[in-house]
Amino acid sequence: MNGLISAIYRARGVLLFVSVIAIFVGTIGAQVIPFVPVKTVASVLPLVGILGMLLVLAVVIPGVKLLPTWEPRTVTSPVTGRWMALNSPATRVPSHGVRAYGQTHAVDLVCDPADRVRPEFGTGIVLRYPTEYPAFGEPVRAMIDGVVVRVADSQRDHRARASLLGFGYMMVEGTLRELGGPRFIVGNTITIRGDDGVFALVAHLKQRSAIVGVGDRVTAGQPIGACGNSGNSSEPHVHAQLMDRASVWTAHGIPMVFGSVSVDEESEERDAMPADNEHITVR
């Protein structure tokens, strides 16, 4: 029974996605399809969708209790320079409020250099251009040694949602993105399979910035792309996470720390995961 619960919990994202589509298609189809046999099938789809959602709800709590435990893995920071952490697992777990898409222990990093200005939230135009942010176009590095298994960098870099009105727009937009699946949430990504079977993903990359391809062998610290503002992103930043599978549909997140970083201007480097609003400096 535990195995079945774990399997359903792992596939909960797929089940919810299919359930929502079934409800939507069934509701619309029952109204507009004149062919009786098809109309009958369509009328049943909303019930199937509701049952699918109830199944997911039924396994959420026991599924979390059955999650495997991992020791934090030490990885190379995906960025260099001075960056600030947001939605950090050092502050709370799950760091992004949900365990979906393998992001239980994910962290967001925004570039906040001492010699350049990062636009403050609520200043300037409602939807700022991504080029106004120092993070945009900054190199993104491989966090682990391994082989590239997935590359997606075709999505455009949209304007930042760095105002109250823009953030509200992003909330509505995010709901619509969910209907398209995780690809439209994480935006442009590169996923690397480590030699130990762990997968490292960096997300929200700049359009057409990938400089590696599927099958390429990479080493930790090697440039692989550039920071962008694709997917469900409020401003240009790097989203980084470790997972136990390549697909964010079914992956569980794995904890990590960055090796040899300075936290909040500390003079000595150490292995650490910065908490929310803490800075790391990486040489």
Side-chain angles (χ1 to χ4, degrees), residues 126 195 231 272 282:
V126 173
D195 297 331
V282 187

Side-chain angles (χ1 to χ4, degrees), residues 19-20 22-23 44-57:
S19 296
V20 170
I23 292 172
V44 177
L45 287 178
L47 177 60
V48 174
I50 292 172
L51 291 176
M53 289 184 169
L54 291 175
L55 177 62
V56 171
L57 289 175

Side-chain angles (χ1 to χ4, degrees), residues 71-83:
E71 290 297 318
R73 307 293 180 100
T74 300
V75 302
T76 297
S77 167
V79 293
T80 59
R82 185 173 183 266
W83 294 67

Side-chain angles (χ1 to χ4, degrees), residues 226-280:
C227 177
N229 199 45
S230 57
N232 196 45
S233 172
S234 58
E235 69 173 89
H237 72 283
V238 176
H239 172 105
Q241 65 186 50
L242 292 185
M243 312 176 293
D244 67 346
R245 292 191 178 187
S247 173
V248 294
W249 277 111
T250 57
H252 292 320
I254 295 176
M256 64 181 178
V257 294
F258 297 131
S260 302
V261 298
S262 298
V263 180
D264 273 351
E265 322 307 331
E266 292 176 351
S267 58
E268 294 187 1
E269 295 180 343
R270 58 188 175 92
D271 297 348
M273 172 56 66
D276 284 355
N277 300 313
E278 287 186 341
H279 291 80
I280 59 169

Side-chain angles (χ1 to χ4, degrees), residues 76 142-147 192-196 198 217-221:
T76 297
M143 294 193 289
I144 60 175
D145 296 339
V147 176
I192 299 168
R193 184 188 187 282
D195 297 331
D196 58 356
V198 170
R217 177 82 187 178
V218 298
T219 57

Side-chain angles (χ1 to χ4, degrees), residues 83-120:
W83 294 67
M84 183 172 68
L86 298 174
N87 301 315
S88 170
T91 298
R92 67 170 181 173
V93 175
S95 58
H96 285 58
V98 296
R99 298 178 186 272
Y101 307 148
Q103 59 186 346
T104 304
H105 303 280
V107 65
D108 292 331
L109 299 169
V110 295
C111 189
D112 193 22
D115 59 348
R116 285 180 289 167
V117 176
R118 170 179 166 247
E120 294 184 8

